[in-house]
Amino acid sequence: MSIASQLPALQIVVPLLVAPLTVLLRGSGLAWAAATAASAMAFAIAVALTLTALDGATISYDMGGWPAPYGIELRLDAFSALLLLLTTGASTLSLLGARDSIAELMGESREPLFYAAWLVALAGLCGIAITGDAFNVFVFMEISSLATYVLIAAGPDRRALTAAFKYLIMGTVGATFYLIGVGLVYMMTGTLNFADMEARLAEVDEVRPIVVAAGFITIGLALKAAIFPLHVWLPNAYSSAPNLVTVFIAACSTKVALYVLLRFDFFVFHGNLVGHAFQFSSFLAPLAVLGILVGSAVAVVESNVKRLLAYSSVAQLGYILLGASFGDLAGMTAAITLMFNHGLAKGALFMAIAALAMHTRGHTLADLSGAARQMPWTAAALVIAGASLIGIPGTAGFISKWLLLQAALQQGPLGVVAAVAVVAGSLAALAYVWRIIEPLYFGTAEGSTAGGSTAVYTATPPLLLLALWLAAGANVYFGLIPAVPVSLSELAAAELLGHLR
Amino acid sequence: MELLGLFNYWVFAVLLMVGFYAVIAKTNMVKKLLGLSIFQGAVFLLYITMDKVDGGTAPIIQPGVVDAIYSNPLPQVLILTAIVVGISTTALGLALIVRIYEAYGTIEEDETQRLDIE
């Protein structure tokens, strides 16, 4: 057996095995190096898997040698490949930049534990993306969530603790709802494998438990994915977590929950429940539009930069959901591309904020005043990432917004309403990104701590700057040459909607 | 038999709602976490109920016994995993509460919010 055929398993095993080893590594920087190397290896595996998925091939891997419907199947298609790419990429870049700021925050003795928790979270997220088994998704979801609560609680002030506790309560309720749904589906079909479930649901006569299950699963995962109005845990968690942790979770954790939501609702339920498409879109499309409007509106008036970007995430999740709720190929393609591109843009933005915060020591807009003069490269990367978030041509954000608008305009009169919401949201994005850029470039340094007894760093650490520019560069690269994410999204959308009967 | 079968599901629903009420309505964090445990416990009951086959016994092959009816072991295994997850969640939640008490001097959620605003 060649090592290449074991790649799906290694995708999870590498970070999961390195995590306990990291705990043992004492001495400055060793744990960081091990974690970064493991994460980079996971990224390399994800790239290798993506290359296979680009051909439209699906890899099925029988865990432990038990054949698919009975054993646990790891299943890699275009959708999971895209998610793996985003998750491992975000983890690698934020780890690459994390060394100095985490060393300062955690101290040498707790540092290994922190990186171990990080790798466990990464392993969990990869596991969700690659597994083909509904219960396995639950287990990986809890693995990644528990580790994420720990990472958030590591935040610099005590608010991180209450934010982590709130997230723990809401996350567990969401996961338990999902568990109830899976139980009900298992009761009616006797299987936990997604593909098998899809096939067997067609033979179920009594659909009421399945409808109830669809409700539980959708609500539970909506909680995990912070879909408006179930987003209340998100701004606190994002704003009080350590800066580099925010980069990691903002780029991928809600998207992974959304991935499971789309997989369940479209791959499993869509073809088997009468009226499911209508129910899905009439329930979630209004929430998506409200999410866009409310999230953007709050972001326009918020004064803490991290909270501002967190509310912008609520709005962006609305775009993704809106695309999915159209229920056609174009909408789904747009939604999946958005998942990827928003991860790129928001990850890069939070990373720029993390870099600036090492100097300014604060997260309010006033703290950023004039910081561009000291940190021109960091500020320039922030502008690029901001442009991508708004959707300015030449950046990745433009591609997905364009696809979403095209899909919306195919939907008739209600689609025009959706398109208006998208445009309004983008204008609001222009406003709130400008609110960050304005003090950064044109603010006077007074009012900030620039004179600074507390400012340790007068420039961004080189590794963080490198990671930041790689992230910003990815935004430009995928804006100019969008072939990889778009073709993966098209394949994924066709896979999700291919089961329509 | 029908009633007995449904009885478990009624208990599931009632326990689920009792736990959920505590999670939403209580401001004391330990009580919230207790509610969460009850909430999860209800789901364990759902899984354990669905695997029961009338007249079924433990799925162990015994010499000399043919045609035995077995209960479905899979949901039990699943719920064993879910119980472990539940314990980890409770443990982590309690650890967080200890840290919150050290930082704020209270474990009432509304009071921590008030202290943050000040």
Side-chain angles (χ1 to χ4, degrees):
Chain A
M1 238 187 211
S2 73
I3 193 85
S5 64
Q6 305 293 337
L7 284 181
L10 286 174
Q11 180 77 75
I12 309 166
V13 168
V14 167
L16 202 57
L17 269 188
V18 178
L21 295 177
T22 321
V23 179
L24 303 174
L25 292 173
R26 302 284 150 175
S28 72
L30 269 181
W32 167 80
T36 311
S39 182
M41 201 160 154
F43 180 62
I45 294 170
V47 170
L49 289 173
T50 306
L51 291 178
T52 6
L54 265 177
D55 303 332
T58 309
I59 304 172
S60 175
Y61 179 93
D62 299 328
M63 207 66 195
W66 300 92
Y70 309 107
I72 290 169
E73 182 195 18
L74 299 184
R75 195 180 164 82
L76 184 109
D77 54 22
F79 199 5
S80 28
L82 194 73
L83 258 286
L84 286 175
L85 213 56
L86 178 63
T87 308
T88 54
S91 163
T92 309
L93 283 185
S94 37
L95 274 174
L96 189 66
R99 192 180 67 177
D100 297 311
S101 98
I102 297 300
E104 191 194 339
L105 182 67
M106 302 298 296
E108 204 168 289
S109 61
R110 291 193 301 162
E111 212 178 294
L113 297 170
F114 177 87
Y115 287 116
W118 186 305
L119 284 180
V120 172
L122 174 65
L125 292 172
C126 288
I128 299 172
I130 205 171
T131 188
D133 181 283
F135 192 80
N136 218 218
V137 166
F138 167 75
V139 176
F140 279 127
M141 200 148 73
E142 284 307 81
I143 289 176
S144 69
S145 300
L146 285 169
T148 310
Y149 308 147
V150 174
L151 293 180
I152 291 172
D157 70 40
R158 63 182 185 180
R159 272 167 226 217
L161 297 170
T162 44
F165 187 77
K166 194 173 195 177
Y167 186 18
L168 179 137
I169 296 284
M170 297 194 74
T172 309
V173 169
T176 309
F177 267 32
Y178 174 78
L179 190 60
I180 296 172
V182 170
L184 290 170
V185 176
Y186 177 76
M187 205 151 76
M188 301 311 288
T189 60
T191 182
L192 291 168
N193 185 291
F194 282 133
D196 199 31
M197 209 179 254
E198 199 276 324
R200 290 205 196 185
L201 268 180
E203 296 154 21
V204 173
D205 297 324
E206 180 64 65
V207 294
R208 193 173 293 164
I210 306 295
V211 174
V212 174
F216 270 115
I217 289 172
T218 309
I219 299 289
L221 291 170
L223 242 173
K224 281 267 182 199
I227 287 165
F228 183 86
L230 303 172
H231 66 279
V232 288
W233 59 265
L234 185 138
N236 283 334
Y238 279 18
S239 58
S240 54
N243 290 336
L244 270 305
V245 171
T246 311
V247 176
F248 179 36
I249 59 175
C252 55
S253 73
T254 52
K255 273 102 197 160
V256 170
L258 234 121
Y259 157 83
V260 184
L261 179 77
L262 295 181
R263 174 142 300 218
F264 237 114
D265 267 306
F266 286 92
F267 186 75
V268 178
F269 292 137
H270 208 70
N272 292 310
L273 293 175
V274 178
H276 179 264
F278 175 72
Q279 286 164 3
F280 185 85
S281 51
S282 58
F283 177 55
L284 289 175
L287 292 185
V289 171
L290 275 174
I292 295 171
L293 298 179
V294 175
S296 304
V298 177
V300 169
V301 294
E302 180 62 54
S303 65
N304 178 314
V305 182
K306 281 177 88 180
R307 285 184 79 85
L308 187 159
L309 291 177
Y311 276 106
S312 142
S313 276
V314 173
Q316 300 280 335
L317 285 164
Y319 294 133
I320 300 172
L321 200 63
L322 188 66
S325 70
F326 293 154
D328 63 355
L329 212 57
M332 191 59 78
T333 309
I336 298 169
T337 320
L338 257 165
M339 282 167 88
F340 186 76
N341 288 348
H342 172 239
L344 288 180
K346 197 49 72 66
L349 266 174
F350 270 120
M351 203 179 281
I353 297 297
L356 289 171
M358 293 197 78
H359 172 63
T360 62
R361 299 285 123 179
H363 291 123
T364 62
L365 290 168
D367 286 330
L368 296 180
S369 290
R373 252 159 267 154
Q374 259 120 3
M375 312 171 103
W377 286 97
T378 310
L382 187 143
V383 172
I384 294 175
S388 181
L389 188 71
I390 300 164
I392 288 173
T395 57
F398 172 71
I399 305 291
S400 37
K401 283 263 169 71
W402 181 249
L403 287 171
L404 184 64
L405 278 176
Q406 275 183 328
L409 292 174
Q410 286 171 14
Q411 296 293 316
L414 277 175
V416 176
V417 177
V420 169
V422 172
V423 173
S426 302
L427 287 175
L430 188 64
Y432 59 69
V433 169
W434 178 250
R435 288 186 66 218
I436 305 174
I437 292 173
E438 198 225 58
L440 197 59
Y441 277 94
F442 306 112
T444 50
E446 291 165 60
S448 78
T449 50
S453 48
T454 50
V456 183
Y457 295 90
T458 48
T460 310
L463 275 175
L464 183 53
L465 197 62
L466 172 69
L468 175 59
W469 271 95
L470 283 174
N475 274 300
V476 176
Y477 177 79
F478 288 118
L480 297 175
I481 310 165
V484 172
V486 171
S487 58
L488 278 176
S489 304
E490 277 167 356
L491 283 168
E495 164 100 12
L496 283 180
L497 299 170
H499 293 264
L500 290 177
R501 296 207 171 82
Chain B
M1 225 41 230
E2 173 92 350
L3 199 68
L4 190 70
L6 284 180
F7 177 71
N8 274 15
Y9 291 106
W10 279 113
V11 175
F12 155 70
V14 170
L15 273 182
L16 192 76
M17 285 305 118
V18 167
F20 203 33
Y21 172 78
V23 170
I24 293 171
K26 295 292 169 189
T27 54
N28 184 304
M29 291 182 186
V30 174
K31 287 182 184 166
K32 259 186 194 300
L33 212 56
L34 271 174
L36 200 65
S37 288
I38 298 172
F39 184 68
Q40 289 178 312
V43 183
F44 303 161
L45 187 68
L46 172 74
Y47 272 71
I48 297 301
T49 304
M50 77 167 95
D51 75 359
K52 179 65 181 165
V53 177
D54 275 347
T57 175
I60 302 166
I61 297 173
Q62 291 168 294
V65 179
V66 284
D67 295 344
I69 302 172
Y70 297 132
S71 287
N72 184 356
L74 187 76
Q76 304 194 0
V77 180
L78 296 183
I79 232 52
L80 211 56
T81 315
I83 288 171
V84 175
V85 169
I87 289 172
S88 326
T89 311
T90 312
L92 182 62
L94 286 173
L96 277 175
I97 292 174
V98 171
R99 292 270 315 271
I100 288 171
Y101 186 72
E102 284 169 3
Y104 288 87
T106 175
I107 53 168
E108 297 289 328
E109 199 164 48
D110 44 354
E111 286 179 32
T112 59
Q113 277 168 359
R114 212 194 51 216
L115 284 169
D116 271 339
I117 294 166
E118 278 166 11

